[in-house]
Amino acid sequence: MEDYLSADSTHYRLASTATLNKERTTNAIHKEDRQYIRLLGFDYYGSSLFGNKYLDDILARQKQLMPTGYTAEKISWSFSWEKAKREYGLLALLIIGIYIIGTILFESFKQPLFIVLAIPISFIGLFLSFALFDFYFDQGGYAAFILLGGLVVNSVVFILNDFNQLKHKTNRAFAKVVAAKMKPIMLTVLSTCLGLVPFLIGGDNEVFWFSLAVGTMGGLTVSFIFIILIVPNFYVKPSNS
């Protein structure tokens, strides 16, 4: 293994202090602002102060050796509103649009709240899918947010629409409507999840489609539990004694 020359011209033999291992990672091409991005990482065991100083030193020398058009930058994993505001803005626009349409169709300000509530509940399933199975969250995960926002509200809309058609709107009647809609809702969720299975075949090598499928399937599963078990409890009205 070759020696490493430090900033003070001292030679260190890497074999005595470090090891290099070649591993296969996700085969993905990231592109942002019409530039291709290649992510490189390393593990540094020690003080973060010295680790950042070492990384800054390496990047400063690499920038001098890189040809025109290439840049090397250190990635900061802190939250950046500038990067996230577009995704969150689309989600907010989606939720507001669904609520407005719901108020017009149902002529109520309360009922559309149950429809909109299904959207953030489905996001719990999306986060759990990536966290429990340690999957890589990519742009497909953000696309799953938007897709779930349009899918999970359908079941709640069907339930509320059938309930509003009844003459006697009681708690028991609402429970019967939910029970009657359980089978078609379950078939809809199951068929959608099965339709996304082909995107799982490529595994992490197909990052976008894999993340989209995993996030959508997890969100639909949790939303089904929410619609069947939780929505009736939220909608129950206190009975007159």
Side-chain angles (χ1 to χ4, degrees), residues 164-216:
N164 290 334
Q165 303 301 321
L166 300 177
K167 293 183 179 179
H168 303 287
K169 298 178 176 59
T170 62
N171 296 338
R172 187 175 181 180
F174 189 83
K176 288 183 177 180
V177 171
V178 174
K181 287 295 181 181
M182 183 181 299
K183 184 180 293 186
I185 292 175
M186 182 178 62
L187 292 176
T188 301
V189 172
L190 183 61
S191 61
T192 305
C193 291
L194 290 177
L196 294 172
V197 169
F199 294 128
L200 302 177
I201 297 177
D204 286 342
N205 293 328
E206 299 292 340
V207 181
F208 178 86
W209 299 110
F210 184 82
S211 300
L212 175 65
V214 168
T216 304

Side-chain angles (χ1 to χ4, degrees), residues 9-115:
S9 300
T10 303
H11 288 265
Y12 296 96
R13 190 165 184 79
L14 290 179
S16 61
T17 58
T19 57
L20 293 178
N21 298 321
K22 184 178 180 181
E23 298 180 358
R24 184 179 181 86
T25 59
T26 303
N27 186 17
I29 299 177
H30 301 271
K31 190 175 181 182
E32 183 177 343
D33 295 333
R34 298 183 179 180
Q35 292 183 338
Y36 291 99
I37 302 174
R38 186 63 178 174
L39 302 178
L40 301 177
F42 71 96
D43 293 328
Y44 179 84
Y45 298 95
S47 172
S48 59
L49 177 63
F50 293 107
N52 289 326
K53 185 177 182 301
Y54 169 75
L55 182 57
D56 292 336
D57 183 32
I58 294 297
L59 290 177
R61 283 185 290 167
Q62 288 296 323
K63 289 179 180 180
Q64 297 177 357
L65 301 176
M66 285 184 172
T68 304
Y70 287 80
T71 59
E73 298 178 354
K74 181 171 62 175
I75 297 178
S76 176
W77 297 107
S78 59
F79 178 79
S80 176
W81 173 249
E82 292 298 327
K83 294 182 179 180
K85 65 180 182 180
R86 181 175 181 272
E87 286 78 9
Y88 291 120
L90 290 174
L91 289 175
L93 182 63
L94 174 67
I95 293 175
I96 293 174
I98 292 176
Y99 179 80
I100 293 176
I101 294 175
T103 56
I104 296 174
L105 293 178
F106 294 108
E107 298 181 352
S108 170
F109 291 102
K110 180 181 178 181
Q111 289 188 353
L113 292 177
F114 298 102
I115 301 175

